[in-house]
Amino acid sequence: QVQLVESGGGLVQPGGSLRLSCAASGSVFSIYAMGWYRQAPGKQRELVATFTRGDSTNYADSVKGRFTIARDNAKNTVYLQMNSLKPEDTAVYYCNARTIVGINWGQGTQVTVSS
C-alpha cells in the first residue's frame, strides 16, 4: 500500500503562484503513475497533471502553460508548480498514485485564489 501526504496549499491572490508537494511512502516501488487532481465545490474531481508510464506527462487544457508537474525520485515526491493562478483554480487538490493493485489518494490540500 502507498501513503500520500500533500502540502503547500493556501490562499493566494489572482496571478500569484503556489507549489504543492506530495510525498509518497510505503510500497513506492509499485507506483507506475502519479499526479494531481482537483475538486471544486459542487463539481466532479478532475485531472490536473500527471506523470504516466515513463516520463510522459499529461495536463488538463485549463492549466497548460501555467502549471508544471515535476518529481524527485530520490525523495519519492511529486510537485505541482502553479503560476498565474485564477479564481477558477480554487479547489481541493489531491495527489494520486496508481499501482497494479489499485489507486491511492492523499487527504487533499486546499488552494484558494481570491483577492
Side-chain angles (χ1 to χ4, degrees):
Q1 193 163 350
V2 174
Q3 294 78 44
L4 303 170
V5 178
E6 302 105 331
S7 61
L11 173 64
V12 63
Q13 293 186 340
S17 298
L18 281 175
R19 188 178 81 154
L20 306 183
S21 299
C22 173
S25 60
S27 302
V28 296
F29 60 89
S30 64
I31 297 173
Y32 68 82
M34 197 166 174
W36 294 93
Y37 287 69
R38 68 185 180 187
Q39 187 166 18
K43 295 187 177 181
Q44 289 188 330
R45 193 171 297 188
E46 63 177 3
L47 179 146
V48 178
T50 64
F51 283 105
T52 57
R53 292 182 186 270
D55 291 330
S56 297
T57 57
N58 186 30
Y59 291 92
D61 288 343
S62 59
V63 306
K64 284 180 181 177
R66 300 188 297 123
F67 291 12
T68 303
I69 190 169
R71 63 188 175 191
D72 184 334
N73 290 330
K75 296 182 179 180
N76 296 316
T77 299
V78 171
Y79 305 95
L80 184 68
Q81 178 65 45
M82 305 186 293
N83 298 329
S84 302
L85 282 160
K86 304 176 181 179
E88 50 263 43
D89 294 318
T90 295
V92 178
Y93 284 69
Y94 296 92
C95 184
N96 166 286
R98 296 176 182 266
T99 71
I100 59 173
V101 177
I103 300 173
N104 303 269
W105 294 97
Q107 81 285 355
T109 185
Q110 177 70 46
V111 172
T112 302
V113 185
S114 175
S115 55

